[in-house]
Amino acid sequence: TLEASGSGRIGSTELVGVFHHVSRHLSDRPKRFPIAMNVLMGRVMHHVDLASTGVGVRAELGRLVQQSYVDYSWIGELEVVARHPVSPRVGVYGKVLGQHYAIDATLSSRPTQRGGRLEGGLKLGGKGGAIELFVGYERVIDADPLDRQPRQWAFGGFRLVN
């Protein structure tokens, strides 16, 4: 994924113009044809503090201007993340992400595709960074780029953050 963007602020809201490129490379098998898309999109991001809980919202909508093998015409995403401190070094968070991919009827007869992710976790802070422990559930649109089928699974793990 590669992106070029420019943004400006109106108060605590950030407005972003984005050129978004995705190229799906299948490293475990020969690439017989390209799988890629270029999208011109708008993105809006806003953060608000509600008492001691921070809530971030990101919404984006984009029109495909080039596609190879993918059959999308428009893509949209909405994400809401809430973070709440429990103590100076411990916090909890939750994330909800929804995706909506409109299909170009001239390329495919499949219906609109929907995906998303639910995630919750614990953030443990230290002097030089932090670790997030998380669990969740995800439905991925076209998880395998060749079979064009959504897949869903539960997950858990950790990530190092600063």
Side-chain angles (χ1 to χ4, degrees), residues 68 72 137:
S68 298
Y72 321 131
Y137 176 81

Side-chain angles (χ1 to χ4, degrees), residues 59-122:
E60 55 189 44
L61 181 65
R63 173 93 171 119
L64 273 75
V65 294
Q66 183 280 329
Q67 69 250 57
S68 298
Y69 191 70
V70 298
D71 56 356
Y72 321 131
S73 58
W74 289 86
I75 61 174
E77 229 174 66
L78 176 64
E79 180 182 62
V80 178
V81 180
R83 296 185 177 276
H84 181 78
V86 176
S87 74
R89 293 192 181 250
V90 178
V92 294
Y93 78 94
K95 180 188 300 188
V96 177
L97 169 70
Q99 298 173 313
H100 183 94
Y101 285 29
I103 302 300
D104 184 337
T106 64
L107 299 175
S108 173
S109 62
R110 43 181 210 156
T112 296
Q113 299 294 298
R114 291 180 181 86
R117 180 181 181 114
L118 297 171
E119 180 181 321
L122 186 65

